[in-house]
Amino acid sequence: MAKASAPAKAILVGEHFVVAGCPAIAVALDVRARVEAETLPEGGVVEVESRELGKQTFGAGSLPSSPLYPVYVAVREVLKLAGASIGLKLRIESEIPPAAGMGSSAAVAVAAVAAVAKILGLQLTSEEVSAAAYAAEVQVHGKPSGIDNTVSTLGGAIYYRKTEGFRKLEADFSPIRFILADSGVQRSTGELVSRVLALKARRADILNHVYEAAASLVETARGAIERDDYAALGELMNINHGLLSAIGVSNAKLEELVYAARQAGALGAKITGAGGGGMILALAWREDAERVARALAGISPRVIIAPVSQEGVRIEH
Ligand code: MEV
């Protein structure tokens, strides 16, 4: 038996724009998905079980209709790398709210890859773990940028660009806290990404400027993070929220949450992830975090104060 866990993520700046090749910055959060793997006597089958989604058995020719199928896709990648065809049973337990912008599918895939690699005695690089999880992300989201699986694998703060890969950012996050508040609306990242790309194609003359502004905002945010200038980062998050509204992924509930966080003293607040529902992300000084969380708790079904996880995927003993 082997067990691995991987962290959730929150995108600080650059979601959606990152799909079209702009940079983005995300942090890993200490809210984790755990996957336990054990071998089965029967070769060629992969049984996947989660409390929320039930149990499903996959093998050659399985159809991708089950929500657990992407986990099988990630596992298949590891089996391919190992040249193995053993049977496996995987049990998923996740603290990460699904379909909320916190990268739950990527964290589950990353943890599954690490647990299966461990059971096979296969030493994978971070890039290989992330790439196997990316295959699952393609199943879930259609055209993902790859930022979710990268951050969940590596932990910490990551500057990411599809064409260039990632760079870890050195930052001291101890003076601040991230607060996440759920809009209570689950949504599909894949659908939102397609909707945004369609708008970009239809209004290219206008939206190209918005994408350029987003790219330059992310570069400025990188400087702010490297200088530990959180007042500047908060302001940039607010501007980023405006750009996300411009590409059509905000709604009345998300605006209500964002403004409540700012009024309660957050340095900045914005949609995080695909938008359309899911979570908002607020940044606050450590001593203000409880006040911001209390203001949000009155209007949100779930509020989380999450520290940054410097650690990415890990084997659990
Ligand atoms: C999803 O967490 C973030 C998006 O930018 C999609 C992606 O990067 O694949 C909306």
Side-chain angles (χ1 to χ4, degrees):
M1 205 259 281
K3 192 170 179 177
S5 76
K9 69 91 186 46
I11 298 186
L12 302 186
V13 283
E15 53 272 269
H16 280 294
F17 308 107
V18 69
V19 174
C22 296
I25 299 171
V27 287
L29 298 173
D30 211 9
V31 182
R32 302 184 81 88
R34 292 182 177 79
V35 175
E36 207 176 84
E38 57 186 290
T39 51
L40 286 177
E42 191 190 346
V45 295
V46 178
E47 197 179 294
V48 186
E49 184 180 356
S50 97
R51 200 172 339 119
E52 294 75 23
L53 299 171
K55 189 170 16 177
Q56 190 86 37
T57 303
F58 302 97
S62 289
L63 295 174
S65 46
S66 159
L68 292 169
Y69 184 79
V71 181
Y72 167 63
V73 170
V75 171
R76 211 173 47 190
E77 291 297 305
V78 188
L79 290 171
K80 252 190 259 168
L81 286 171
S85 64
I86 57 164
L88 287 163
K89 179 175 174 171
L90 270 70
R91 223 179 342 264
I92 302 165
E93 259 174 48
S94 181
E95 300 163 354
I96 310 170
M102 291 183 70
S104 114
S105 57
V108 167
V110 167
V113 168
V116 171
K118 174 77 184 164
I119 223 166
L120 293 169
L122 188 64
Q123 296 282 346
L124 296 181
T125 63
S126 311
E127 280 80 3
E128 286 170 325
V129 171
S130 187
Y134 181 74
E137 285 291 274
V138 170
Q139 279 295 325
V140 185
H141 303 309
K143 270 192 186 164
S145 62
I147 191 168
D148 289 17
N149 43 288
T150 303
V151 176
S152 190
T153 303
L154 296 165
I158 301 284
Y159 170 92
Y160 178 86
R161 193 166 201 153
K162 217 156 116 179
T163 47
E164 289 165 22
F166 66 88
R167 209 181 94 190
K168 254 196 148 171
L169 301 180
E170 292 312 320
D172 172 16
F173 289 108
S174 59
I176 54 104
R177 289 286 178 270
F178 291 107
I179 304 114
L180 293 118
D182 203 338
S183 64
V185 182
Q186 289 198 354
R187 76 289 173 280
S188 150
T189 296
E191 269 169 43
L192 280 145
V193 166
S194 305
R195 219 165 73 193
V196 169
L197 290 174
L199 179 69
K200 181 174 188 291
R202 218 166 49 243
R203 298 279 178 205
D205 46 344
I206 300 162
L207 285 200
N208 286 345
H209 299 296
V210 179
Y211 276 68
E212 264 168 41
S216 116
L217 183 148
V218 172
E219 295 305 339
T220 310
R222 180 174 69 170
I225 291 169
E226 286 175 333
R227 288 192 314 276
D228 300 329
D229 185 349
Y230 294 111
L233 179 62
E235 185 173 69
L236 292 165
M237 287 169 66
N238 289 341
I239 299 172
N240 193 160
H241 180 75
L243 300 182
L244 288 167
S245 297
I247 59 169
V249 299
S250 191
N251 61 31
K253 185 68 197 177
L254 292 167
E255 294 299 324
E256 184 192 9
L257 292 168
V258 160
Y259 279 92
R262 291 178 192 165
Q263 270 154 20
L267 295 163
K270 63 182 274 289
I271 287 167
T272 187
M279 296 271 192
I280 65 116
L281 174 75
L283 172 74
W285 295 119
R286 196 178 46 210
E287 52 277 21
D288 296 335
E290 284 292 341
R291 178 157 35 94
V292 173
R294 267 198 308 276
L296 290 167
I299 51 171
S300 161
R302 171 163 36 200
V303 178
I304 302 171
I305 302 180
V308 170
S309 171
Q310 289 300 341
E311 206 180 4
V313 63
R314 70 173 178 233
I315 296 297
E316 303 275 342
H317 296 288

